[in-house]
């Protein structure tokens, strides 16, 4: 009998998402800002994908990796912004457990795929600067496809168990989440069961994806810097480093709020809840918004093709 009651409470349970506490009076105005961010993110990344796909001169490794980044950013925007807008526009805070588990699966998978794409882009810059004559042969379409598929499978396979690990719990604690979307590290703390396995596995996948990727990106830039400093011409040194600026911006935009948010979740008792919430929005919304803008501004070829397309 008791088991039946528990199963019913689990199946009918919902989580409550959070907007910005204390700012309910201006939620409608904040929603206008989020709508604008959503539209610009979708439009910016879609334009990048369209231009790269339709222009044969952009079918180069750098732009193929940029297309991967734009696709991932589109996925992240579509996975998170609808629930955010639901809160600010309609005060729709409830999310079922199944919908929450599905959302966190997509958010974490896409975040780890983005981390992998940033690593591939660092490798692209390393090969372009270190061995420019063999650039096209090393990063041929077949190898790019294999690397992209391998990293995508890594992320999906590692995240796949999370919803099932969460589903076995009973949720009998306060069910108010501190963000406008679901994250594994937060949902698992709502359980009234032993979450040791989830904590250890969560730490393992963070270290084996984001931790490893960021370390390899750092190593790539150490090698890039070493190569650039060996170039005799000052102009060529500046030109080589200039090709990395967009990627460095993308890396900082992605990793800085992610690491900050992870640290705040670990020490949530001593950290400001408002800071957690705002950093959560920066982590989810800013990279998809800024990445296409930065790459469009910094890449002459891409910028020229976009201008040409809109003038037509």
């Amino acid at each position: 009998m008791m088991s039946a009651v528990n199963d019913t409470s689990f199946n009918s349970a919902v989580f409550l998402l959070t907007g910005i506490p204390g700012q309910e009076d201006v939620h409608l105005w904040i929603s206008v800002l989020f709508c604008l961010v959503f539209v610009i993110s979708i439009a910016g990344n879609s334009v990048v994908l369209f231009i790269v796909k339709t222009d044969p001169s952009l079918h180069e490794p750098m732009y193929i990796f940029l297309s991967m980044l734009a696709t991932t950013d589109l996925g992240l925007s579509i996975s998170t912004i609808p629930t955010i807008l639901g809160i600010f526009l309609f005060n729709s805070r409830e999310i079922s457990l199944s919908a929450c588990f599905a959302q966190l699966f997509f958010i974490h998978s896409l975040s780890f795929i983005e981390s992998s794409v940033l690593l591939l882009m660092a490798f692209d810059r390393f090969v372009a600067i270190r061995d420019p004559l063999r650039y096209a042969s090393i990063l041929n379409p077949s190898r790019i496809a294999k690397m992209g598929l391998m990293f995508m499978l890594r992320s999906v396979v590692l995240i796949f168990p999370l919803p099932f690990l969460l589903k076995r719990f009973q949720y009998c604690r306060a069910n108010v989440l501190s963000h406008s979307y679901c994250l594994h590290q937060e949902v698992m703390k709502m359980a009234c069961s032993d979450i040791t396995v989830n904590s250890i596995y969560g730490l393992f996948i963070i270290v084996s994806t984001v931790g490893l990727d960021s370390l390899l990106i750092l190593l790539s830039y150490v090698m890039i810097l070493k190569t650039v400093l060996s170039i005799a011409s000052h102009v060529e040194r500046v030109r080589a480093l200039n090709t990395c600026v967009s990627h460095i911006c993308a890396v900082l935009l992605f990793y800085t709020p992610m690491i900050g948010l992870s640290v705040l979740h670990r020490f949530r008792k001593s950290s400001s809840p408002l800071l957690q919430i705002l950093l959560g929005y920066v982590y989810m919304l800013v990279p998809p918004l800024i990445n296409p803008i930065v790459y469009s501004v910094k890449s002459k070829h891409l910028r020229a093709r976009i201008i040409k397309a809109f003038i037509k």
Side-chain angles (χ1 to χ4, degrees), residues 26-220:
V26 291
H27 268 191
L28 189 61
W29 294 107
I30 296 170
S31 71
V32 173
L33 175 64
F34 284 136
C35 279
L36 198 61
V37 167
F38 186 46
V39 169
I40 295 171
S41 300
I42 297 294
N45 288 293
S46 298
V47 165
V48 168
L49 283 171
F50 175 76
I51 296 295
V52 172
K53 187 180 187 309
T54 56
D55 194 325
S57 69
L58 296 179
H59 294 177
E60 297 175 6
M62 176 185 169
Y63 297 107
I64 294 170
F65 290 131
L66 180 56
S67 296
M68 290 181 186
L69 186 68
T71 304
T72 310
D73 281 339
L74 274 174
L76 274 172
S77 295
I78 292 165
S79 300
T80 53
I81 296 185
T83 55
I84 294 172
L85 290 178
I87 294 166
F88 287 95
L89 281 171
F90 311 112
N91 196 31
S92 175
R93 295 180 59 203
E94 288 190 359
I95 184 169
S96 68
L97 267 66
S98 297
C100 187
F101 297 158
Q103 186 183 46
L104 69 85
F105 169 77
F106 284 111
I107 286 174
H108 289 301
S109 296
L110 289 163
S111 293
F112 292 159
I113 290 169
E114 179 143 347
S115 175
S116 302
V117 172
L118 290 171
L119 171 59
L120 290 174
M121 293 174 96
F123 180 63
D124 168 77
R125 290 300 83 209
F126 168 70
V127 174
I129 292 170
R130 187 70 179 262
D131 202 353
L133 296 177
R134 294 177 58 222
Y135 175 66
S137 61
I138 293 172
L139 290 172
N140 57 59
S142 172
R143 189 165 287 158
I144 290 170
K146 285 174 185 173
M147 289 191 298
L149 184 62
M150 180 184 74
F151 280 120
M152 187 182 77
L153 285 174
R154 179 190 70 163
S155 301
V156 171
V157 167
L158 285 173
I159 297 300
F160 189 73
L162 289 186
F164 299 101
L165 287 171
L166 290 169
K167 199 164 186 175
R168 65 197 174 95
F169 293 143
Q170 295 295 326
Y171 295 90
C172 54
R173 292 180 185 165
N175 61 347
V176 181
L177 301 174
S178 62
H179 296 292
S180 305
Y181 45 83
C182 297
L183 295 174
H184 170 254
Q185 59 265 40
E186 225 192 344
V187 171
M188 71 176 182
K189 290 174 184 173
M190 300 291 155
C192 49
S193 317
D194 181 15
I195 60 168
T196 306
V197 172
N198 283 60
S199 293
I200 293 170
Y201 186 66
L203 186 61
F204 165 73
I205 57 178
I206 284 284
V207 170
S208 60
T209 53
V210 175
L212 182 62
D213 292 348
S214 55
L215 190 65
L216 290 173
I217 288 170
L218 183 62
L219 183 62
S220 296

Side-chain angles (χ1 to χ4, degrees), residues 8-25:
T8 305
S9 69
F10 174 85
N11 291 329
S12 62
V14 293
F15 290 123
L16 294 177
L17 301 169
T18 302
I20 302 178
Q23 304 297 320
E24 286 78 10
D25 293 344

Side-chain angles (χ1 to χ4, degrees), residues 115 194 237 263 273 297 308:
S115 175
D194 181 15
R237 282 204 299 268
V263 170
V297 168
K308 188 178 176 182

